[in-house]
Amino acid sequence: MAGTELGKQISAINIEKVSKQKTRKGVFWPSFLIVGGGALLGIINNQFLAKIAMDGFVGTLRSLGWLYQVISIVSLVIVGIVTFSKIGKVRLGGEDAKPKYPFAAWFAMALTGGIATGVITYGVNEPIIYFSNIYGEMEKTGVEPGTPLAAIFAMGRSFYNWTFIPYAMYSLSGLVVAYMYFNRKKSLSVTASLIPLFGDRITKGIWTSIIDTLSVLAIALGLASSLGAGLALVGSGIEATYGIKQGPVVWLALAIIITVTFTMSSLKGLDKGIRILSDINAKVFYAILIALIFIGPSLYILRTSTAGLGYWLQNFWEWGLDPADIGGEALVMWWTLYDWAIWIAYAPLMGIFLAVISHGRTIREFMIVNWILPSVFGIVWFGIWGGTALNWQQNNVVDLAANIKESGAVAGLWTFLANLPLGVIIIPIVMITLILSFSTAADSMVRTIASLCTINIKHDEEPASWKKLLWALSIGIIAFVMVAFAGGEQGVDGVKYLAALGGSTVLFVFVLQVASAIKMFFIDNVE
């Protein structure tokens, strides 16, 4: 009876906390209205939205490509120093802080919260696109397309785009937020991560609303465009595999399934929803990798992956500091810089999520789980998926390049899967994994968006359910409407480029976070 009464009291306290939460109107309303307005413009005139967003995005990449590359390398260097120096011994929350989550659960949430659907979508397609020079990526590299060296280049470039450098961005942003919140006792927000540079005045007045609003906009639009592309991708897989023509009905069914999945997970909270879904998703990832290790050409995978790593290290500084003047726009701007814009767009809010789940861990443990292990996972994933695809392409098992040229940049995935032994079993598993992958990224980010729209929320408090529900439904509805009524897969272009343009805006916030990290860890006293 005493336990029951205690439980009721705790529940009552939690309900009271939620009921007392106040909305940050300066963040919530601008974000919500701009996201809705962008979607409405996309419905009315998607071509206009896509042109405005694309022109702005391309303009920023051409003028700021050098800054993207410099800040990415600086992030990598800082993360490396922090991880392996004495700073790594500092515990988030103080010496007596205890971790809430066991290692495996913590890693599952960190990995799946940031991985989304990218590795599944591009694990096959990206290496083949480079190898075959489908969009002119190899023209300025000096590497002949379709050769063994092209396969090594393709593997190395994929590793470069998907491992240590982008995860350094996530990790650095998350570390600054975590240290300021747990050790300096500041608010759980993007703005608070800039206090080392500007002092507490940055958290007052209009700047705090502007900075946090930009961060919310970037990730909300990014999730909407990612879900829209996911609907079209899974829809194309259903059509190619089962002959069910994709269209509004298929997209609506998929949108409902995915939106309900990540909405329910978010509403159940971090412990009862996000953690469980992340664990399931991570185990599916591991199972797929193990299966493909046995199915694929193992020796070729090991050799090409090793050589690819060597090729990347050999070209580290050239690739890392090329704003497109060396490798050309087809390779650098439309792959690497575009990727950096999306990763940076996600970094501030992804950083908040990584911070929330890392209380009680040392900085070194934080970096191992959020930087090193996800990067190793990326190498293994692209090594196995990309290595198998490249081997098939070179040995004429299946012409994935022709399939991509005919049907688009992500079309090779389903052709690849269809030619696997047990493909009839693996294809539906991959479709489910795509749904889970987006859901585990979306549920964590919906929670984070709702938290950022709440005044003085604590890391162990859940934001109001209505906020999570509103943002989840908004993202799902925008994605479906853009796909169904604004031009199919191309219908998400407007929101996609708008999201990437948002990343260009968030770039300056991220640069300030990097500067904060330098001041905080190398100039100020770290305790």
Side-chain angles (χ1 to χ4, degrees):
M1 290 296 291
T4 303
E5 289 301 318
L6 179 60
K8 289 179 179 179
Q9 290 174 17
I10 292 172
S11 298
I13 290 171
N14 290 334
I15 291 169
E16 184 180 359
K17 282 183 179 179
V18 171
S19 66
K20 287 183 177 180
Q21 289 177 355
K22 294 183 179 180
T23 300
R24 293 180 67 192
K25 295 179 182 179
V27 175
F28 176 81
W29 284 113
S31 304
F32 186 71
L33 292 174
I34 292 173
V35 168
L40 185 62
L41 179 59
I43 298 168
I44 296 171
N45 192 339
N46 185 60
Q47 288 184 339
F48 177 72
L49 175 65
K51 184 179 186 307
I52 293 288
M54 184 175 176
D55 288 348
F57 175 59
V58 170
T60 58
L61 284 193
R62 285 177 176 155
S63 59
L64 296 174
W66 63 273
L67 181 56
Y68 275 106
Q69 293 287 49
V70 168
I71 204 65
S72 68
I73 295 297
V74 171
S75 299
L76 183 70
V77 171
I78 293 173
V79 163
I81 294 172
V82 166
T83 303
F84 298 109
S85 70
K86 64 179 182 180
I87 297 172
K89 297 179 181 178
V90 175
R91 190 170 297 278
L92 298 172
E95 287 300 319
D96 297 327
K98 301 297 181 185
K100 181 177 181 180
Y101 302 105
F103 188 88
W106 179 33
F107 176 61
M109 286 190 285
L111 176 69
T112 60
I115 209 168
T117 59
V119 293
I120 301 175
T121 305
Y122 290 105
V124 168
N125 294 301
E126 190 165 331
I128 292 295
I129 288 170
Y130 296 149
F131 174 77
S132 303
N133 191 37
I134 289 177
Y135 303 110
E137 287 83 1
M138 304 290 277
E139 289 177 2
K140 292 190 176 183
T141 64
V143 177
E144 185 68 25
T147 62
L149 181 59
I152 293 169
F153 175 95
M155 195 68 82
R157 193 76 188 193
S158 298
F159 292 160
Y160 165 69
N161 283 350
W162 287 93
T163 60
F164 288 96
I165 293 177
Y167 278 110
M169 300 176 191
Y170 273 2
S171 301
L172 187 61
S173 186
L175 179 60
V176 176
V177 172
Y179 188 80
M180 291 305 298
Y181 177 73
F182 290 122
N183 295 64
R184 295 285 180 88
K185 309 304 179 186
K186 303 300 181 181
S187 63
L188 188 64
S189 66
V190 179
T191 312
S193 67
L194 307 184
I195 290 176
L197 288 180
F198 303 106
D200 287 318
R201 64 182 179 275
I202 192 67
T203 62
K204 300 177 176 66
I206 193 171
W207 281 110
T208 183
S209 295
I210 291 174
I211 291 169
D212 288 346
T213 297
L214 288 174
S215 302
V216 168
L217 282 173
I219 204 159
L221 291 169
L223 286 172
S225 63
S226 179
L227 176 54
L231 295 178
L233 177 62
V234 178
S236 67
I238 291 173
E239 182 173 343
T241 307
Y242 305 112
I244 302 172
K245 188 172 179 58
Q246 65 173 323
V249 174
V250 171
W251 292 325
L252 178 60
L254 290 172
I256 291 173
I257 292 170
I258 296 173
T259 303
V260 167
T261 301
F262 74 77
T263 301
M264 291 303 296
S265 177
S266 180
L267 289 174
K268 283 183 174 294
L270 195 56
D271 295 334
K272 296 181 180 179
I274 295 171
R275 175 180 173 177
I276 293 172
L277 196 62
S278 296
D279 183 62
I280 294 170
N281 191 25
K283 287 177 178 175
V284 174
F285 273 135
Y286 304 152
I288 290 174
L289 280 179
I290 291 170
L292 284 180
I293 287 172
F294 290 104
I295 293 173
S298 301
L299 181 59
Y300 179 90
I301 289 170
L302 293 170
R303 290 173 64 96
T304 308
S305 296
T306 304
L309 284 171
Y311 198 86
W312 172 28
L313 293 174
Q314 177 186 332
N315 293 277
F316 178 83
W317 292 110
E318 180 180 311
W319 290 2
L321 294 174
D322 176 18
D325 296 294
I326 301 173
E329 288 192 353
L331 174 67
V332 180
M333 193 174 82
W334 287 109
W335 286 100
T336 301
L337 295 183
Y338 179 85
D339 286 350
W340 286 184
I342 297 298
W343 284 87
I344 287 175
Y346 277 46
L349 260 67
M350 188 66 204
I352 291 177
F353 175 70
L354 297 179
V356 164
I357 62 175
S358 300
H359 179 257
R361 298 289 182 175
T362 65
I363 289 177
R364 184 168 295 121
E365 289 172 333
F366 180 94
M367 287 302 173
I368 289 172
V369 162
N370 295 302
W371 175 48
I372 295 176
L373 290 182
S375 300
V376 171
F377 178 88
I379 290 172
V380 173
W381 186 277
F382 274 85
I384 294 172
W385 284 66
T388 303
L390 289 168
N391 179 265
W392 287 3
Q393 187 70 37
Q394 288 178 284
N395 291 287
N396 299 314
V397 175
V398 58
D399 194 348
L400 295 169
N403 183 237
I404 292 171
K405 287 178 183 177
E406 180 182 347
S407 304
V410 298
L413 173 64
W414 304 116
T415 303
F416 172 81
L417 293 172
N419 283 272
L420 284 173
L422 303 176
V424 69
I425 297 173
I426 293 174
I427 287 175
I429 292 174
V430 169
M431 289 181 180
I432 292 170
T433 306
L434 280 166
I435 293 172
L436 286 175
S437 298
F438 180 82
S439 297
T440 50
D443 59 6
S444 57
M445 288 302 97
V446 164
R447 181 188 187 275
T448 306
I449 292 171
S451 295
L452 205 57
C453 292
T454 304
I455 296 175
N456 293 329
I457 191 168
K458 305 299 182 184
H459 76 284
D460 54 355
E461 291 178 10
E462 288 294 329
S465 294
W466 70 266
K467 287 178 188 171
K468 291 189 283 188
L469 183 62
L470 184 65
W471 280 108
L473 292 177
S474 298
I475 290 166
I477 291 169
I478 291 168
F480 168 70
V481 168
M482 295 302 290
V483 174
F485 302 110
E489 184 175 0
Q490 298 307 313
V492 300
D493 278 355
V495 175
K496 180 172 70 176
Y497 289 119
L498 195 61
L501 181 59
S504 300
T505 307
V506 174
L507 170 64
F508 296 102
V509 176
F510 182 71
V511 168
L512 292 175
Q513 283 190 320
V514 172
S516 280
I518 293 172
K519 184 173 185 297
M520 184 164 57
F521 293 116
F522 306 125
I523 298 175
D524 299 341
N525 291 324
V526 176
E527 299 174 355

